[in-house]
Amino acid sequence: MNEIQIQKPTLEEVFAPRGIAVVGASASGRLGFAEMIIVANLETKFPGLYAVNPKYKEVYGVPCYPSILDIPGVVDHVVVNIPAQSALKLLDECAEKGVRSVHFFTAGFSESGYAERADLEVELLKKARQGGYRIIGPNCVGLFVPKSRVSNTISVPTESGPIAFISQSGGHANNIPMFSAVRGLRYSKVVSYGNALDIDEVELLEYLTDDNETEIIGAYIEGVKDGNRFFNALKGAADKKPVIVYKGGKTEAGLRAAHGHTASMISSVDVFEAVCRQANAIQVENTEELLDVFTVLRFVRQIPQGKNVALFGAGGGPSVLAGDEIENAGLCMPQFSQKVQDDLKQVLPVDGGIFTNPLDTTNLVSPEAVDAAAKVLGKVTEIHMLVYHLGFHPIGMWGRGSFSEKSYLDTLLEVMKMAVKKSGKPILVALRPAQDLNGMKEFLTVQEAFVDAGFPIFYSLGQLALAMNRVIDWNDRFAN
C-alpha cells in the first residue's frame, strides 16, 4: 500500500519555530531536561513557549496543557521527554496540530540494541513522513539557534555568531557553546541530532554550505550511514568554508560505545579519515582542539603563509620548554639573526635575557617592553606570526592584581593592536590559567579583555601551535 507523504518542512523552517511545546515537563522542582529546555528558552525570551503534562497547570511560570492539541497558539516545534512507547500517539497529535519538527530527547530506540525498539524508530519516521513534519533525533538535545531565541541549555550567550556546530553527542552540543563563550566564540546554529533517524549530518552539511549566517562549520560524528552521500556533502561544504571534524569512536572500545550511544554504523576509521582528507576537512582529536581551531579561524584575520613563529614573554625555563612544544606541534622557531638580536638588545634589558628566539627578558610583562619587542619582531620578514605568553612563570604570576588594572590592560592592548596593524602579522596569545582562586579571578579579567580586543586566546603553547599548524595546512590546500 502506498503511503501518503506530505512535503517536508525545510531546515530553514525548522530553525525558526513560532511556538515550542515541551512534552513531559514537570513541576516537581527537579531540573530535568524538559524543565531545562523551559528555563533556557525563558532566558532567551522565546515568545511562544508551552509545557505539556496533564498533571499540571503551570511549569516554571509557563502554562501547561494536557496535550499539544489543547494549546491555543501555533506550535511549530515539539520537544519530547516521555517514554519511547508513548511516542506514536504523540506523533498523531503533532500531525493534527500542524507541527513542523519534533525533537526526541527520549532515548531507548535503536541504540538500545533491541529489534522492537529499532522497529519503533521506523514507525516514527513513517508517521513523520505522513504527517509532514521532521524528526530531530531521537536520543539528542536538539536545537540551539540564537537568532530564533531557541535554546537547549542554560547559561549560554544569546548572541549569534559565524560558527555552526553539528553533533551526534548531546553533551558536546551543550558544552561547546558553553565552554567556548569566554573565548569570544558565538554560534549561528548548534544541532544535536543523535540517532539521525530523519535529519542527519548530510542534510545539515548541505544546508550549512549555503547558510549566509555560517562561516565556519564544526562537526562531531560517530558514524555515517551512507558514505557516498556523506563524502559529497562534506566536500561540497569544505569547498566553500572551513569544516572541522572530530570523529568519535576510533578505538575498539570507542567503536562499541559509539554504537551503544547513537546506533552509529561505522566502517573503517581509516576510510573515514581518508574521506575527510580528500574533502579537505580539518580533522581534530578532541573538543579542546576543536575549540582551538575555531579560535584561529574566528580571530586570525589573515592566515599566515608560513609557519615561522617569534615567541616572546617572561620566564627563561618556560620559554625553552615552549620552543619544544611549538616545534613538536609542527610550527618553526627560527633563530633570530644577529642584527635582530642587536636591535632587541638596544630596547630591552640584556642581563638575564634570551634573544635568540624565544625572546625572554625580565620586563616582558610591561606594555613598554611588549611594544619595543613587537616593533622589532614585526619587521622581520622571515617571521610569519608573533606569539605572546603570559602566566607561565612567577614573573607573570596571576593573583597580584597588577595585570587586571584597567590602565595596564588598556595600554597593553593598544600596543598589541597597533603592532598587528603595522606589521600585518597576527599576534596570538597564550594565557596559562591560574591554579588558585584569586589568580583565576585576575586571569578571567585579563582573558576577557584580550578577547574583547579581538585576540585569539589559547591555554597552552602546544595547543596554540597545533591549531595554527592544522589551519595553515588547510589554508594552503584550500587556496590551491
Side-chain angles (χ1 to χ4, degrees):
M1 187 169 96
N2 293 331
E3 297 177 2
I4 299 172
Q5 294 193 15
I6 301 172
Q7 184 174 351
K8 298 186 293 185
T10 65
L11 289 186
E12 197 70 43
E13 292 173 309
V14 170
F15 293 144
R18 296 164 294 179
I20 298 175
V22 183
V23 180
S26 167
S28 65
R30 185 182 66 86
L31 192 66
F33 179 78
E35 294 74 36
M36 185 173 71
I37 287 284
I38 290 174
V39 173
N41 285 285
L42 288 173
E43 285 183 353
T44 60
K45 297 180 172 59
F46 185 84
L49 184 62
Y50 311 97
V52 175
N53 190 326
K55 296 180 181 179
Y56 306 104
K57 298 294 184 182
E58 185 180 279
V59 176
Y60 285 93
V62 169
C64 190
Y65 297 90
S67 79
I68 63 170
L69 296 177
D70 296 305
I71 296 172
V74 172
V75 175
D76 288 325
H77 184 66
V78 174
V79 179
V80 182
N81 190 38
I82 58 175
Q85 296 88 337
S86 305
L88 294 179
K89 179 178 183 297
L90 173 65
L91 291 186
D92 289 335
E93 294 175 354
C94 289
E96 188 175 344
K97 185 65 177 175
V99 168
R100 290 176 180 171
S101 56
V102 180
H103 156 218
F104 276 94
F105 173 71
T106 300
F109 292 94
S110 58
E111 82 283 355
S112 68
Y114 293 108
E116 63 271 20
R117 297 296 185 91
D119 292 341
L120 180 57
E121 266 194 8
V122 174
E123 290 302 312
L124 297 184
L125 187 58
K126 284 182 180 177
K127 284 190 175 291
R129 293 289 183 262
Q130 294 168 357
Y133 49 83
R134 310 302 307 275
I135 289 180
I136 303 168
N139 185 27
C140 68
V141 300
L143 302 179
F144 172 46
V145 188
K147 182 179 178 181
S148 299
R149 293 185 281 180
V150 176
S151 185
N152 58 5
T153 191
I154 56 178
S155 302
V156 291
T158 56
E159 310 92 358
S160 294
I163 304 171
F165 179 56
I166 63 174
S167 174
Q168 279 186 282
S169 161
H172 290 332
N174 277 164
N175 290 340
I176 288 295
M178 185 186 301
F179 293 171
S180 61
V182 293
R183 297 173 75 175
L185 301 176
R186 299 292 185 269
Y187 296 83
S188 58
K189 285 104 182 163
V190 177
V191 184
S192 162
Y193 59 94
N195 293 11
L197 175 64
D198 180 16
I199 295 173
D200 61 10
E201 66 284 331
V202 171
E203 186 174 2
L204 290 166
L205 285 170
E206 290 172 344
Y207 171 84
L208 294 170
T209 297
D210 296 317
D211 179 28
N212 293 330
E213 297 172 359
T214 298
E215 300 171 12
I216 302 162
I217 302 171
Y220 169 78
I221 296 174
E222 293 177 355
V224 299
K225 296 175 182 177
D226 188 327
N228 288 331
R229 286 182 65 237
F230 173 69
F231 173 74
N232 291 333
L234 183 64
K235 188 173 188 313
D239 283 347
K240 290 189 174 184
K241 304 172 181 181
V243 181
I244 307 93
V245 177
Y246 169 24
K247 168 72 173 70
K250 289 189 174 184
T251 64
E252 182 178 345
L255 290 168
R256 290 197 306 270
H259 184 73
H261 185 208
T262 55
S264 295
M265 301 297 293
I266 305 169
S267 58
S268 165
V269 173
D270 292 337
V271 170
F272 186 95
E273 292 184 342
V275 164
C276 290
R277 285 195 300 273
Q278 291 172 27
N280 195 25
I282 303 171
Q283 296 182 72
V284 296
E285 298 299 325
N286 50 56
T287 54
E288 288 77 13
E289 267 191 58
L290 181 72
L291 295 185
D292 291 335
V293 172
F294 281 167
T295 299
V296 173
L297 292 166
R298 177 68 180 89
F299 291 110
V300 179
R301 297 301 181 186
Q302 187 167 343
I303 305 300
Q305 297 300 301
K307 297 186 178 184
N308 289 346
V309 175
L311 175 67
F312 65 116
S319 293
V320 173
L321 294 175
D324 291 340
E325 283 191 83
I326 285 174
E327 294 219 335
N328 286 337
L331 301 184
C332 303
M333 284 180 55
Q335 181 172 323
F336 297 146
S337 68
Q338 190 59 53
K339 181 181 184 312
V340 171
Q341 294 183 51
D342 291 342
D343 289 345
L344 290 167
K345 290 176 181 178
Q346 292 296 314
V347 295
L348 295 169
V350 175
D351 292 349
I354 303 171
F355 291 86
T356 53
N357 197 14
L359 170 64
D360 155 49
T361 65
T362 56
N363 68 337
L364 266 173
V365 294
S366 74
E368 295 77 17
V370 171
D371 185 32
K375 283 178 177 174
V376 173
L377 298 176
K379 295 176 183 177
V380 182
T381 55
E382 62 267 27
I383 293 298
H384 303 111
M385 69 197 94
L386 279 59
V387 173
Y388 181 60
H389 65 92
L390 186 62
F392 290 76
H393 191 274
I395 294 172
M397 183 179 292
W398 306 112
R400 296 177 298 177
S402 56
F403 298 123
S404 57
E405 292 177 2
K406 188 175 188 303
S407 58
Y408 170 84
L409 275 176
D410 287 350
T411 306
L412 179 62
L413 292 169
E414 283 306 312
V415 160
M416 294 178 69
K417 285 192 284 188
M418 187 58 67
V420 172
K421 183 178 180 180
K422 286 188 174 181
S423 70
K425 299 173 183 177
I427 297 180
L428 300 98
V429 181
L431 300 178
R432 184 177 183 178
Q435 302 302 308
D436 63 281
L437 184 59
N438 287 335
M440 182 55 76
K441 290 177 181 177
E442 183 171 33
F443 165 83
L444 291 172
T445 299
V446 173
Q447 175 180 245
E448 183 179 13
F450 272 106
V451 167
D452 288 347
F455 285 97
I457 300 298
F458 305 86
Y459 299 134
S460 81
L461 287 155
Q463 289 175 234
L464 179 156
L466 182 58
M468 282 302 300
N469 186 55
R470 291 194 190 283
V471 172
I472 291 169
D473 285 345
W474 162 81
N475 191 56
D476 288 345
R477 297 189 300 267
F478 188 78
N480 296 318

